[in-house]
Amino acid sequence: RGMPFEAYAHNASTSTKIAFALAFYIALSLFFSSGQSSAGAGIMTSSTEPAFTLLVTMRFKSEKYVQQFLSDVEPVCNYVKSKEPTTLAYEVLKSDKDPLMLTFMERYADKDEAYLKIHKSGKPFLEFRPKLKAMQDDGNVEITGESYTDTMVGFGDRVV
């Protein structure tokens, strides 16, 4: 009597009530022992560093250069998805207000290992980077960006 599940299980057998109570308390203990709040991103990695995110905004001179960038970066995206499990998100977003503006969202399990050591040494990234640099040097794209560390407030992608 007085247990939180009893209002829902008043017609259940004693063994069903016990099984439900046990499952309820196990779930609570796992939640509170995980070290993360329900508001956190829910990404558990072996790193003690917070997740690391880059948001890079690019404004291209013309649609021709947007298409060239997308063509050049697609193999990198495919490689990252299949070969870099500590890259949590790697996505090119197109502005709904300016067709010449893209934002690249990159999210890594941590900065030192996942981003600096693994991602930045990947062969497709190393092949892509000079192409973007040349486009930038020729004045065909302006690039700005910021880096962020996870606060564990909010959440990432949700599967619907």
Side-chain angles (χ1 to χ4, degrees):
R1 190 165 201 149
M3 296 181 77
F5 68 91
E6 282 190 339
Y8 302 103
H10 68 284
N11 290 330
S13 71
T14 302
S15 61
T16 302
K17 288 179 183 180
I18 291 170
F20 184 85
L22 184 59
F24 177 78
Y25 287 116
I26 288 172
L28 281 178
S29 67
L30 287 173
F31 173 77
F32 285 111
S33 68
S34 71
Q36 291 196 336
S37 74
S38 62
I43 297 166
M44 298 296 288
T45 66
S46 59
S47 173
T48 57
E49 291 183 62
F52 177 73
T53 300
L54 291 173
L55 295 176
V56 179
T57 299
M58 298 162 283
R59 182 145 199 326
F60 293 86
K61 190 174 183 177
S62 71
E63 181 65 25
K64 169 187 170 183
Y65 298 109
V66 170
Q67 293 307 313
Q68 183 62 52
F69 170 82
L70 292 172
S71 176
D72 290 344
V73 79
E74 187 173 15
V76 182
C77 294
N78 293 336
Y79 175 86
V80 168
K81 185 176 183 179
S82 68
K83 304 289 187 191
E84 294 182 18
T86 56
T87 301
L88 308 174
Y90 201 74
E91 186 171 8
V92 179
L93 308 167
K94 190 171 189 175
S95 170
D96 63 345
K97 296 177 181 67
D98 182 349
L100 300 179
M101 187 169 290
L102 301 178
T103 296
F104 207 143
M105 180 184 67
E106 304 174 45
R107 186 166 164 81
Y108 303 91
D110 61 74
K111 183 177 181 179
D112 292 337
E113 182 74 17
Y115 173 63
L116 293 174
K117 186 174 179 185
I118 296 171
H119 177 68
K120 289 191 79 173
S121 66
K123 184 178 178 188
F125 174 79
L126 294 173
E127 291 171 352
F128 160 76
R129 190 62 186 105
K131 295 175 186 177
L132 182 58
K133 178 83 168 101
M135 201 182 293
Q136 187 178 18
D137 290 346
D138 293 342
N140 296 317
V141 64
E142 293 176 16
I143 302 173
T144 59
E146 293 293 331
S147 59
Y148 303 88
T149 55
D150 202 328
T151 64
M152 296 306 292
V153 174
F155 62 94
D157 285 356
R158 178 192 333 240
V159 177
V160 291

